[in-house]
Amino acid sequence: MEPTKPEVTHEFPFFRVYSDGRVEKFNWPQETVPPTTNDPITGVQSKDVVISDDPKISARIFLPRLPDPIHKLPVLLYAHGGAFSKMSAFSPRFDAHVRTLAAEARVIAVSVEYRLAPEHPIPACYDDSWAALQWIASHANGDGPDPWLNENADFNRVFVGGDSAGGNISGNLALRAGSIGLPGVRVAGAILVHPYFGGVEVDDKMWLYMCPSASGIDDYRMKPSAEDLGGIGCDRMLVFVAEKDHLCGPGKAYYENLKKSGWKGKVELVENKGEEHCFHLRITSGDDNAVVKKIVSFINQD
């Protein structure tokens, strides 16, 4: 008899799962690019750093040109998108985007390479990103493992941000900063671009599969209530939604719950009219990118 072929037990927009436990991700494996010592267009330097060996967490750190070596720069922890299951801090798209943010906003950007679901079930992505934020905070006294942060970072101006799944992760980081705290660091703001929150059935089912420990779709990480959001640990928040994005509704619901939460910070909602999910990642020039311009303004108003 021929061996029985494994059947598909779960089918999602980004991957399928077979009865033998094998996960097949679509358009996989993904392309990655190395860091650059001196980008000829932006002048930004980048390098890869190890956050943790167990679990394995790394990041790509970007340092813009320093017009004044004495002037300290804000820090941005960036979490990439990809539905918690795909993409990379080292992919061409996110390498270019975070490099542009570093150049335009004059920030030291740390783009975290968190573990992907479902191979590493959620909350691995949240825990890894929090570990990266703690790693940044370990430099606050000037004696951390990375000289770029020791010598050039302003730890009173630390931001967390990301798109899609990374927007969700950034909101979670802001919550953790409020509940746990980060000694020596002020989380000045959070930037959520087209965040992946609950409210769309197909996405809800995929997230629940990737997070088997979740209490349900009303889990605070996926669909935070106004009560959940009251303890956010940053001063300002910037939330983007795109008019033609299926996640526009959940993003607006997050914004409305945040306003009702009793949180004492300031939040701004920006709707990208006529645009689709994460359209800004396809624009190569920061000068032509309305999302990048708004992020730069948000960071530099602090």
Side-chain angles (χ1 to χ4, degrees):
M1 294 179 60
E2 292 186 7
T4 304
K5 293 183 178 179
E7 298 179 350
V8 175
T9 58
H10 297 85
E11 181 92 26
F12 299 111
F14 288 80
F15 61 89
R16 63 171 62 101
V17 184
Y18 292 90
S19 56
D20 61 0
R22 181 169 59 91
V23 175
E24 179 188 0
K25 292 190 175 182
F26 308 138
N27 300 315
W28 190 264
Q30 54 205 2
E31 181 186 359
T32 60
V33 294
T36 57
T37 55
N38 190 8
D39 180 61
I41 298 174
T42 63
V44 173
Q45 304 176 64
S46 62
K47 62 183 176 181
D48 295 341
V49 296
V50 175
I51 303 296
S52 166
D53 289 316
D54 186 19
K56 185 174 176 57
I57 311 168
S58 58
R60 180 159 292 174
I61 183 168
F62 299 82
L63 180 69
R65 289 192 182 103
L66 298 170
D68 178 356
I70 300 176
H71 180 69
K72 300 294 185 181
L73 302 178
V75 181
L76 169 65
L77 175 64
Y78 193 88
H80 67 80
F84 303 95
S85 58
K86 294 185 68 176
M87 302 305 291
S88 167
F90 311 139
S91 69
R93 174 174 291 182
F94 287 106
D95 176 84
H97 179 57
V98 181
R99 183 184 308 279
T100 298
L101 289 175
E104 298 292 329
R106 292 204 177 278
V107 297
I108 303 172
V110 179
S111 186
V112 59
E113 181 74 344
Y114 56 81
R115 289 172 292 165
L116 299 176
E119 305 95 309
H120 303 283
I122 298 171
C125 57
Y126 297 119
D127 294 340
D128 294 357
S129 299
W130 178 248
L133 190 55
Q134 290 179 309
W135 180 84
I136 290 172
S138 73
H139 297 78
N141 292 327
D143 57 358
D146 186 79
W148 288 359
L149 289 168
N150 285 334
E151 297 167 10
N152 304 296
D154 180 353
F155 294 97
N156 282 315
R157 293 187 293 161
V158 174
F159 295 82
V160 295
D163 63 276
S164 195
N168 176 301
I169 290 169
S170 298
N172 184 267
L173 290 174
L175 277 174
R176 289 199 189 192
S179 62
I180 300 173
L182 281 168
V185 166
R186 169 178 165 255
V187 180
I191 303 156
L192 282 58
V193 183
H194 309 160
Y196 180 163
F197 285 119
V200 178
E201 184 178 7
V202 63
D203 293 327
D204 294 352
K205 288 181 177 179
M206 184 167 66
W207 190 87
L208 286 171
Y209 178 82
M210 294 186 291
C211 187
S213 63
S215 58
I217 198 54
D218 290 328
D219 185 292
Y220 75 95
R221 295 162 294 187
M222 185 59 168
K223 203 171 184 180
S225 66
E227 184 179 0
D228 295 326
L229 295 173
I232 282 180
C234 65
D235 302 328
R236 297 184 286 116
M237 187 169 285
L238 178 62
V239 180
F240 291 87
V241 296
E243 184 181 21
K244 295 182 178 180
D245 182 6
H246 71 290
L247 290 172
C248 183
K252 287 183 175 179
Y254 177 91
Y255 167 75
E256 294 297 335
N257 280 335
L258 184 57
K259 289 200 299 180
K260 299 173 187 174
S261 69
W263 174 60
K264 302 303 183 184
K266 296 181 180 179
V267 59
E268 180 180 0
L269 179 72
V270 176
E271 182 169 1
N272 303 124
K273 296 290 187 180
E275 299 290 359
E276 298 179 348
H277 186 68
C278 291
F279 73 96
H280 63 292
L281 295 175
R282 298 187 292 273
I283 302 174
T284 57
S285 170
D287 292 337
D288 300 327
N289 196 321
V291 171
V292 167
K293 286 183 176 180
K294 186 63 180 179
I295 293 173
V296 170
S297 173
F298 177 79
I299 290 174
N300 290 327
Q301 77 183 55
D302 190 63

